[in-house]
Amino acid sequence: MSVRVRRVQEPPEPDDGVRVLVDRLWPRGVSKDTARVDEWPKALTPSAGLRRWYHAGEGSYEEFRARYEAELAAPEAAGLLDHVRALAREGPVTLLTAVRTPERSHAAVLARLLET
C-alpha cells in the first residue's frame, strides 16, 4: 500500500495516484483545476471543535491524535476511512492538505491509519 501526504499547494506529480483532499475547507488561493483533487471526503476531517482546540495550542499532538482517532471511529468517518484504504490497496493515494506542517497534522494520522 502506498499512501503519502503532500501539501495541496504543490503541483501534482504523475505518481500521486488518487488525490484525496483531507481538509474540511477548500484551501485559499488554490483553484480546483490546479489542485486536481479526485476525492474530498469532508466527514473524514477533524471536527471544527477539535481543529480549533488543536490550533489554539491547548493540547499536545499526541492528545490531538487520540481525539481524532476517536472521531474516526464514528460510522460515517469509519466508512470513508475504509473507502480510502480500499483505494490505497488498488494503487497509490496522496492525501492533500493545506497545513504548513503536514507531519504533525490530521493528514499524518490518516496516513498512519491507512497503512495499518
Side-chain angles (χ1 to χ4, degrees):
M1 226 183 313
S2 173
V3 177
R4 70 179 182 164
V5 176
R6 296 186 63 217
R7 294 195 68 218
V8 69
Q9 294 87 346
E10 297 173 11
E13 293 182 356
D15 59 343
D16 280 349
V18 179
R19 294 170 54 87
V20 180
L21 181 63
V22 294
D23 291 348
R24 187 166 298 266
L25 304 173
W26 189 264
R28 276 189 231 151
V30 178
S31 74
K32 292 185 180 184
D33 287 338
T34 303
R36 289 197 20 229
V37 169
D38 297 308
E39 302 214 6
W40 187 14
K42 294 178 189 176
L44 196 58
T45 64
S47 67
L50 180 58
R51 193 175 65 248
R52 281 194 290 280
W53 171 84
Y54 183 54
H55 292 300
E58 296 177 16
S60 68
Y61 176 70
E62 291 72 25
E63 188 175 352
F64 166 76
R65 185 181 69 222
R67 289 182 179 195
Y68 182 40
E69 287 177 0
E71 287 187 355
L72 290 172
E76 185 178 8
L80 288 169
L81 190 61
D82 287 342
H83 170 70
V84 176
R85 188 176 288 121
L87 292 174
R89 285 188 192 111
E90 296 172 12
V93 169
T94 299
L95 304 179
L96 302 170
T97 182
V99 299
R100 291 190 179 124
T101 55
E103 64 279 357
R104 294 190 57 81
S105 73
H106 66 289
V109 175
L110 283 173
R112 186 180 57 75
L113 289 174
L114 290 168
E115 291 178 338
T116 58

